[in-house]
Amino acid sequence: MIDRIDIRNFKSIAHTNIPLGRINVFIGANGSGKSNILEAVGMAAAIRNHEVTLDSMVQRGVRIARPELMVNSFYGQSTSRSIRIGFHEGDTMVSYNIQRLKSSDIYSPWIVSSDTLYVKEDLLKSVEEKIFRYAIYSPEIDALRGLTSGATLYPLGLHGEGLDVLLGQLAKEDLDVVKNVVKQFVSWVDDMTFDFEGMYKFQGYKLGRSKSDLYFRDSYMQKKNNLFSAENANEGVLVLLFYLALLVSKSTPKFFAIDNIDTGLNPRLCRYLMKVVGQLAEQYDKQLLITTHNPAILDGITLNANGTRLFVVERSDEGDTRINELQMKPATERKMKLSEMWMNGLIGGLPEDF
């Protein structure tokens, strides 16, 4: 796993050094800079042939802006043209210096130089493979239902494009893991099936424009009339499948981010989802960066330096993003849930303007 990331001069982040576990959860007020943390890593992941282009950033889930807005521009401070992003794993360190090529051209690529410190060549290759496959995933219901296409990332698009194909290609034992979790959390799901031959479509089971070949059987309906397509499934089950596919597939990145993991999920499902995420990330050797606005997510995690870490993200009086790790509950608040502590303002990460 990547042990630490170091970010300098990226959007609202002046400088931060973040120790990582397997699951890393970032909480904070809207606009505090949570997504900027994910995107800084995404900018490094977008490096191709010693440069970063707008297209390569979009493919990794980075929101692009004018070059001047990709770097710090705090009031009363000079503006630097370069961004620095570093990664540490054991004795291996890779650091990328990313600088604008032409300040007058908003479409000009960023030029990259790198510094490395490593013990063995294979360790460096392992770290770089994790970095360059990293992406920021964020579910969108139309993509999950197969109503939109055009994914630029395979096998699973950033918003859920291609979910049906990826699930259909899973090994039987991995698909069984997914099915068991879904059946445990969504009572109406009797089974999932795939129609890659188009048989159900031509029988009229898919009257809309969905391109998804994923189908469900409803345990509450008559067996002769309980089949329907993904475009008619509820949002929660598709979002859940999206996350499970990311975790169990050998074709998805080892190191990735989920922005707003609570999207479309019931609070109780959020809590139990995080328990499953921790278990599957360990089983399938995945490492995640996660942002959330839902306190229920916190009640599904157990703070552990190597397993799960929780970070509170806030803006300083000068405007730069600060990240503080909550390593354990304060002794006086041990009987409170993390969600209660957050909502009561005991750990920060809340708006203070009202």
Side-chain angles (χ1 to χ4, degrees):
M1 292 192 306
I2 292 174
D3 304 320
R4 185 177 298 273
I5 54 177
D6 187 271
I7 305 168
R8 296 174 186 265
N9 196 37
F10 180 81
K11 293 189 174 181
S12 66
I13 303 170
H15 179 217
T16 189
N17 196 294
I18 309 172
L20 298 182
R22 187 170 292 280
I23 307 294
N24 306 275
V25 180
F26 298 89
I27 63 172
N30 297 91
S32 58
K34 300 183 299 299
S35 296
N36 290 348
I37 299 166
L38 311 188
E39 292 182 352
V41 181
M43 192 173 194
I47 296 171
R48 298 290 182 271
N49 298 320
H50 304 290
E51 69 177 26
V52 176
T53 64
L54 299 183
D55 283 344
S56 64
M57 282 192 282
V58 170
Q59 290 171 8
R60 296 294 142 184
V62 179
R63 299 166 298 178
I64 56 175
R66 287 182 61 90
E68 308 95 281
L69 298 176
M70 299 292 286
V71 297
N72 296 166
S73 57
F74 300 119
Y75 182 77
Q77 299 183 24
S78 59
T79 300
S80 173
R81 289 172 54 185
S82 65
I83 297 166
R84 195 167 186 86
I85 307 167
F87 302 86
H88 300 255
E89 181 172 337
D91 294 325
T92 301
M93 182 276 290
V94 185
S95 183
Y96 301 101
N97 190 63
I98 306 171
Q99 187 166 351
R100 293 163 56 190
L101 180 61
K102 295 180 181 179
S103 58
S104 59
D105 183 359
I106 61 173
Y107 302 114
S108 174
W110 298 69
I111 300 303
V112 183
S113 59
S114 63
D115 299 317
T116 60
L117 177 65
Y118 57 92
V119 177
K120 294 182 179 179
E121 184 70 28
D122 58 337
L123 291 177
L124 176 61
K125 289 180 64 176
S126 174
V127 172
E128 289 186 326
E129 181 179 1
K130 292 171 188 172
I131 296 168
F132 295 143
R133 294 203 63 208
Y134 169 95
I136 305 165
Y137 294 90
S138 180
E140 291 183 1
I141 191 60
D142 280 353
L144 292 169
R145 286 181 172 150
L147 297 171
T148 60
S149 58
T152 56
L153 194 66
Y154 293 90
L156 187 60
L158 297 177
H159 307 303
E161 302 90 343
L163 175 64
D164 58 329
V165 177
L166 180 59
L167 289 171
Q169 296 300 312
L170 290 178
K172 182 181 182 304
E173 59 271 21
D174 296 331
L175 183 59
D176 286 343
V177 169
V178 171
K179 287 184 176 182
N180 289 338
V181 172
V182 171
K183 289 179 181 180
Q184 178 184 356
F185 291 160
V186 186
S187 61
W188 62 262
V189 175
D190 180 60
D191 196 12
M192 293 170 9
T193 187
F194 307 94
D195 183 32
F196 296 127
E197 301 298 324
M199 178 179 65
Y200 295 145
K201 176 181 178 180
F202 293 119
Q203 291 177 5
Y205 283 98
K206 192 160 60 175
L207 295 177
R209 297 183 177 182
S210 171
K211 296 181 180 179
S212 174
D213 289 311
L214 173 63
Y215 286 77
F216 296 90
R217 291 193 179 275
D218 192 319
S219 60
Y220 295 116
M221 297 170 66
Q222 298 178 17
K223 291 188 181 298
K224 64 180 180 181
N225 188 38
N226 69 347
L227 180 71
F228 58 90
S229 65
E231 64 186 306
N232 293 304
N234 68 286
E235 181 178 4
V237 72
L238 295 173
V239 170
L240 180 59
L241 282 170
F242 179 47
Y243 297 150
L244 293 174
L246 279 169
L247 286 162
V248 307
S249 174
K250 297 178 178 63
S251 300
T252 53
K254 289 283 189 182
F255 178 45
F256 62 91
I258 299 175
D259 204 9
N260 294 317
I261 194 171
D262 49 272
T263 299
L265 300 179
N266 177 277
R268 179 167 286 189
L269 180 53
C270 285
R271 182 174 68 186
Y272 286 101
L273 169 65
M274 288 307 299
K275 294 181 179 180
V276 170
V277 167
Q279 295 166 1
L280 294 181
E282 180 75 30
Q283 180 179 344
Y284 289 91
D285 191 25
K286 303 280 185 166
Q287 186 176 19
L288 286 72
L289 308 180
I290 294 169
T291 69
T292 185
H293 288 282
N294 192 326
I297 289 290
L298 274 58
D299 292 337
I301 66 176
T302 300
L303 298 184
N304 181 307
N306 295 322
T308 302
R309 292 177 180 259
L310 175 61
F311 301 91
V312 180
V313 183
E314 298 178 305
R315 299 287 286 268
S316 72
D317 292 340
E318 291 74 32
D320 62 312
T321 292
R322 304 286 176 88
I323 298 102
N324 298 305
E325 182 181 5
L326 182 68
Q327 296 183 322
M328 62 181 297
K329 292 183 181 181
T332 56
E333 310 294 348
R334 294 286 169 81
K335 294 183 179 180
M336 295 182 69
K337 294 179 179 179
L338 278 171
S339 60
E340 295 174 309
M341 295 175 62
W342 187 14
M343 289 301 295
N344 281 283
L346 299 176
I347 59 177
L350 293 175
E352 299 178 351
D353 299 331
F354 52 89

